[in-house]
Amino acid sequence: MAKKMHLRSSEWFGGKDKMGFVHRSWLRNQGYPDDYFQGKPVIGICNTWSELTPCNGHLRDFAEVVKKGILEAGGFPMEFPVMSLGETLMRPTTMLFRNLASMDVEESIRANPLDGIVLLTGCDKTTPSTVMGACSVDLPTIVVPGGPMLSGRFRGEKIGSGSMNWMIKEKQNLEGYTAADFTEAEVCVARSIGHCNTMGTASTMATMVEALGLTLPGFSSIPAADSRKKLFAQLSGRRIVEMVREDLKLSKILTRKAFENAIVTNAAVGGSTNLIIHLTAIAGRIGVDLKLEDFDVVGSRVPLLVNLKPSGKYLMEDFFYAGGLPVVLKELEKRLHPNTMTVNGKRLTENYSQAVCYDRDVIACLEKPFQEESGIAVLKGNLCENGAVIKPSAASKELMKHKGKAVVFESMEDYHQRIDSPNLEIDKDSVIVLKGVGPKGYPGMPEVGNVDLPKKIILQGVTDMVRISDGRMSGTAAGTVILHVSPESTVGGTLALVQNGDTIELDVEKRKLHLDISEEELKKRKSVWKSPEPMADRGYVKIYIDHVEQADKGADLDFLVGGSGSKVERDLH
Ligand code: FES
């Protein structure tokens, strides 16, 4: 029997004074009867719907379904909009605004008469930004992931949304694709409502929140267009009302063990490197100590269990039909902390004990994985004193141990200007070094680390080279790409000092990334290095540049780390 509790919202609606009158009265214009203000848990539906975020374009509909569930369970639903981050349209990069959106979520929740929260998420940053903001308040919270698109087909070939982008240059150069071909492909790739349908960042984030225990079991892998998605949305609406009555807050679910479960799961599904930066930031908000090294220690020896793009060949729809994340979590039973709490009030592994796999070509068993070791390798060395990362499952085996001469680009603009120049001295063994794409430098750490190879190398039939940068990589991309180099070049990390022709050694097995020049030479270069002018001198971007932390710490703003709880603020009087 759920216990009766004091509701936070009663601080607004329970008052018999002038302010109680004000708080209730204006809401009456929407037709709410008396009983709505007499002890019903008020549930905020935090909606990242926006026409500018195509991946979340269906979330207005979903909010209505969630509302039904909340009403059925005796709650009072209140939908509110927050800043939405659409990956395909926002410039210079959505990552610049993740922390801003999280502030919007946090303050919107705390300032309003809310007892529980439903987060409607989809496109990449809409999941971490909302979860980060909610963590800093720490109310009972459930996530409704918007779901992936259905699989697209182009001329008989299955195409992953996102992954196709990275093949465009190759298709032009090697298969003679024309503009008309691309127009035709455009409409085939984005097949239905939903977010990217590979195990890119959006699917990784949805998987992450389920593994953390923040969604109903099995919710994250259901395609957006599948009727079961709405069913789960409605059930989530019902469940959040109970969670408020049980006082099942985020901090009771998001323990250190839950974060470790998310890391293990991410490795098994071949998830995006972006998980590192977002999970670290979420941990920082809820007060869990998570270090970059933890991703390697906890996750790097986990076998790859799914055959999904970009590491494999299938798409999220296939994953769902094969049994989806529940099968993976069941397979991982012995590798996970079994007793972490989840939003339905049950322990993690208890939720998945009955999962059945329907296609072993899509989801392997633990005894016969697609790859023995997956996850993220964290590299250290004089080129990345605070670390850098690589996703071995998306990299080329033959390049995992490599020595090559640096070909340096000082910025993205420099890269675009020279990469296809016939005079560029580069061969397949060179190491492409890209500077100025870190958190402060770009600013916002865009997903550019997997820069295209030069045309002349592609024409030799080469499909991968070692690339190093302080930026990120899209979860839909692949390649031997070293990312998140910290400290970044803009703050004077060693990356800033690399020059054309320097030898760089990569040894993923030994977790080593080394710039082969003497200490004296490094010191000499450092002494003449000048920090670049900041990219903004006003507004939010200036705040961001002044306060953003380095990649190894999750690139949150330093003053946002932690939380301020759900304490009801003083009234407006
Ligand atoms: Fe939104 Fe890929 S662009 S998830």
Side-chain angles (χ1 to χ4, degrees):
M1 177 104 166
K3 80 175 182 218
K4 189 157 172 55
M5 61 177 299
H6 174 76
L7 291 172
R8 188 174 179 270
S9 58
S10 68
E11 299 286 336
W12 279 261
F13 300 139
K16 305 281 181 240
D17 56 357
K18 180 188 79 176
M19 290 318 299
F21 175 88
V22 171
H23 295 319
R24 291 182 300 272
S25 173
W26 265 257
L27 280 170
R28 298 284 195 179
N29 73 357
Q30 293 175 56
Y32 295 116
D34 286 347
D35 62 303
Y36 271 63
F37 303 108
Q38 292 169 2
K40 280 180 187 286
V42 182
I43 307 299
I45 303 173
C46 172
N47 202 343
T48 54
W49 168 86
S50 166
E51 287 181 345
L52 292 166
T53 307
C55 305
N56 296 22
H58 56 302
L59 296 183
R60 290 290 340 273
D61 290 353
F62 275 34
E64 294 306 317
V65 180
V66 172
K67 279 179 201 171
K68 277 194 214 169
I70 293 169
L71 290 167
E72 284 160 6
F76 178 0
M78 300 283 270
E79 182 186 353
F80 63 97
V82 288
M83 185 181 194
S84 185
L85 307 175
E87 209 63 32
T88 53
L89 299 178
M90 287 189 92
R91 295 184 178 191
T93 165
T94 51
M95 186 62 189
L96 178 59
F97 306 109
R98 183 199 65 179
N99 304 333
L100 178 63
S102 79
M103 286 170 83
D104 181 0
V105 172
E106 174 182 347
E107 302 303 341
S108 295
I109 295 173
R110 189 178 299 110
N112 280 299
L114 302 174
D115 302 304
I117 305 296
V118 182
L119 303 175
L120 300 194
T121 68
C123 199
D124 299 10
K125 308 297 180 302
T126 58
T127 304
S129 63
T130 52
V131 175
M132 286 163 68
C135 281
S136 291
V137 189
D138 195 20
L139 286 174
T141 301
I142 196 166
V143 180
V144 167
M149 295 179 205
L150 299 174
S151 303
R153 267 182 194 274
F154 175 56
R155 297 176 183 169
E157 187 189 343
K158 241 187 208 181
I159 299 185
S161 45
S163 292
M164 176 72 179
N165 308 350
W166 312 117
M167 298 188 288
I168 282 177
K169 194 166 177 181
E170 275 172 51
K171 297 257 182 209
Q172 274 171 326
N173 289 330
L174 301 177
E175 296 174 41
Y177 268 35
T178 63
D181 292 323
F182 287 130
T183 305
E184 194 184 332
E186 273 169 26
V187 285
C188 301
V189 169
R191 159 91 190 288
S192 75
I193 57 167
H195 58 65
C196 289
N197 56 15
T198 58
M199 186 48 79
T201 305
S203 298
T204 298
M205 290 295 102
T207 301
M208 173 191 81
V209 284
E210 183 164 341
L212 284 169
L214 298 181
T215 72
L216 292 181
F219 200 172
S220 66
S221 354
I222 306 173
D226 192 289
S227 58
R228 282 159 282 193
K229 201 71 178 177
K230 284 191 173 168
L231 170 79
F232 273 64
Q234 184 156 345
L235 293 175
S236 300
R238 289 186 191 173
R239 179 60 196 153
I240 186 64
V241 179
E242 292 169 5
M243 285 172 67
V244 170
R245 293 185 176 128
E246 293 163 13
D247 195 27
L248 184 50
K249 301 190 288 195
L250 279 169
S251 54
K252 294 182 181 171
I253 294 172
L254 295 179
T255 57
R256 161 87 196 188
K257 286 180 176 172
F259 282 90
E260 291 186 1
N261 284 345
I263 294 172
V264 170
T265 307
N266 186 60
V269 300
S272 161
T273 46
N274 284 320
L275 172 105
I276 303 168
I277 219 147
H278 299 319
L279 198 68
T280 305
I282 293 167
R285 296 296 186 97
I286 202 76
V288 167
D289 182 28
L290 197 64
K291 300 213 163 21
L292 182 60
E293 292 72 19
D294 292 327
F295 289 85
D296 200 330
V297 172
V298 175
S300 66
R301 313 283 174 215
V302 175
L304 181 69
L305 296 183
V306 307
N307 189 5
L308 293 177
K309 285 177 191 285
S311 302
K313 72 175 187 191
Y314 291 103
L315 295 172
M316 288 300 288
E317 192 180 347
D318 307 303
F319 182 50
F320 173 58
Y321 296 143
L325 191 63
V327 175
V328 176
L329 292 173
K330 188 180 173 196
E331 288 294 336
L332 288 173
E333 204 169 5
K334 292 200 181 86
R335 309 290 291 258
L336 296 170
H337 299 292
N339 290 325
T340 53
M341 177 53 68
T342 71
V343 286
N344 71 351
K346 294 189 179 157
R347 307 287 160 180
L348 185 79
T349 50
E350 196 184 341
N351 280 330
Y352 302 102
S353 59
Q354 304 303 315
V356 177
C357 182
Y358 298 105
D359 191 343
R360 283 295 179 199
D361 198 35
V362 180
I363 308 174
C365 56
L366 200 59
E367 295 69 41
K368 248 177 122 185
F370 294 116
Q371 208 171 293
E372 285 300 333
E373 288 184 6
S374 181
I376 310 283
V378 175
L379 307 172
K380 283 284 175 78
N382 65 351
L383 194 41
C384 53
E385 284 166 355
N386 296 340
V389 304
I390 184 170
K391 181 176 170 183
S393 66
S396 303
K397 277 197 178 65
E398 64 279 10
L399 291 174
M400 301 287 266
K401 189 168 174 174
H402 184 79
K403 203 184 230 194
K405 298 275 183 212
V407 176
V408 177
F409 298 95
E410 297 294 332
S411 66
M412 265 323 277
E413 288 73 17
D414 181 31
Y415 163 83
H416 283 302
Q417 227 168 43
R418 296 192 295 119
I419 189 68
D420 285 329
S421 160
N423 303 327
L424 184 70
E425 283 186 31
I426 192 165
D427 61 39
K428 68 176 178 45
D429 297 321
S430 303
V431 174
I432 295 176
V433 175
L434 176 62
K435 303 179 187 177
V437 292
K440 286 181 193 282
Y442 197 70
M445 206 184 173
E447 293 180 332
V448 293
N450 55 307
V451 285
D452 290 336
L453 308 189
K455 190 174 170 184
K456 63 184 176 192
I457 303 282
I458 294 176
L459 289 173
Q460 292 166 17
V462 176
T463 54
D464 195 11
M465 288 170 69
V466 175
R467 288 155 273 177
I468 302 175
S469 77
D470 42 15
R472 296 177 301 121
M473 166 172 95
S474 163
T476 57
T480 310
V481 186
I482 295 152
L483 304 153
H484 307 190
V485 167
S486 174
E488 63 175 298
S489 58
T490 300
V491 300
T494 308
L495 186 68
L497 312 177
V498 183
Q499 295 180 356
N500 281 321
D502 287 346
T503 300
I504 292 177
E505 275 180 73
L506 167 68
D507 190 335
V508 177
E509 177 73 36
K510 293 196 173 130
R511 303 298 193 254
K512 179 178 156 190
L513 182 63
H514 181 71
L515 178 66
D516 199 8
I517 59 173
S518 68
E519 274 299 312
E520 293 71 43
E521 176 63 16
L522 261 183
K523 270 192 197 140
K524 205 169 107 198
R525 291 185 191 180
K526 182 102 188 166
S527 67
V528 293
W529 178 80
K530 285 196 179 62
S531 70
E533 283 294 305
M535 299 291 277
D537 59 8
R538 69 161 298 281
Y540 167 73
V541 182
K542 174 162 171 49
I543 296 175
Y544 178 91
I545 292 170
D546 289 348
H547 291 278
V548 71
E549 300 198 300
Q550 288 295 288
D552 59 297
K553 293 197 165 138
D556 202 354
L557 301 186
D558 51 13
F559 59 85
L560 287 177
V561 175
S564 309
S566 60
K567 188 170 157 282
V568 177
E569 302 290 346
R570 61 202 298 220
D571 213 336
L572 63 154
H573 296 284

